[in-house]
Amino acid sequence: MPHKRNPENFEAIAALAEPIFAAQTQLMHALLSVNERDAIAWKQLWLALPEIHQYVDRQLTSLIAMLDGLVVNVDKMQENVARLGDLVYAEDIMMFLADRLGKQTAHEILFEVAQRSIDQQTEFLTDLMANAAVAKVTSLSELKTVASFEKTTVAIPTLIAHVLEKEVG
């Protein structure tokens, strides 16, 4: 991805999650003990916890360095959202339709319609409503409700407050 900044660093952070997940197996085995004097179980902690600590420390150090230099271009983000239009909400719409059509069917329809809308530069929701299966289970007004900026972003302040509360508290 030559047009992206620091994608490798983010991939490295994500990759470090795997050994952390693997170390969880040792932690689970540490819960098993024959009796309260069973040293075999708690010695598993001596192996797993330092390893987990090293990986998490590296992840956090990398994130802090990247976030410190993070540049947010709000104008460009708004331009991208405007350019994509309702395609931005394709995942939300797919999950909405999955309840009515089944996930695989909804995915196949959304993929086909999205690709056609992109290629032909047409209105995504209009194209979606032209699909007979979609038209049977929903209306354009329902799709517009799902594909709304306000609906998508309404939880953001709550989530931020929750994270900050947990961090401070």
Side-chain angles (χ1 to χ4, degrees):
M1 297 186 290
H3 65 292
K4 300 286 186 185
R5 292 184 185 177
N6 303 316
E8 222 175 275
N9 296 339
F10 282 104
E11 287 174 356
I13 290 168
L16 288 175
E18 290 303 318
I20 293 170
F21 295 147
Q24 287 178 349
T25 302
Q26 283 181 302
L27 294 178
M28 295 302 291
H29 284 283
L31 293 173
L32 306 173
S33 63
V34 177
N35 60 52
E36 72 265 6
R37 296 181 62 104
D38 182 6
I40 295 169
W42 57 264
K43 286 182 180 175
Q44 291 298 313
L45 298 176
W46 292 359
L47 298 171
L49 291 178
E51 183 178 345
I52 290 171
H53 179 269
Q54 287 177 332
Y55 294 131
V56 171
D57 179 66
R58 185 69 211 145
Q59 286 176 312
L60 292 175
T61 301
S62 296
L63 276 172
I64 289 167
M66 283 187 285
L67 292 175
D68 187 43
L70 182 65
V71 176
V72 177
N73 188 333
V74 175
D75 293 337
K76 189 65 174 174
M77 291 168 68
Q78 288 174 336
E79 180 185 313
N80 288 340
V81 169
R83 183 176 47 81
L84 289 172
D86 291 328
L87 281 165
V88 170
Y89 306 103
E91 184 76 15
D92 294 330
I93 293 169
M94 185 191 76
M95 296 313 289
F96 170 76
L97 291 174
D99 290 340
R100 298 168 185 214
L101 298 171
K103 189 173 181 183
Q104 188 61 36
T105 300
H107 174 76
E108 289 168 4
I109 291 170
L110 264 285
F111 180 79
E112 177 187 316
V113 172
Q115 297 307 308
R116 188 171 56 246
S117 292
I118 292 167
D119 292 343
Q120 297 174 2
Q121 298 181 350
T122 55
E123 291 292 324
F124 175 59
L125 292 183
T126 304
D127 292 349
L128 193 54
M129 285 306 300
N131 181 287
V134 172
K136 282 183 185 178
V137 297
T138 192
S139 66
L140 183 58
S141 64
E142 271 189 309
L143 290 181
K144 284 184 178 182
T145 300
V146 174
S148 93
F149 179 78
E150 293 77 19
K151 180 185 176 295
T152 305
T153 59
V154 71
I156 292 173
T158 305
L159 293 171
I160 291 171
H162 181 70
V163 168
L164 293 177
E165 178 184 297
K166 293 291 184 185
E167 186 177 294
V168 174

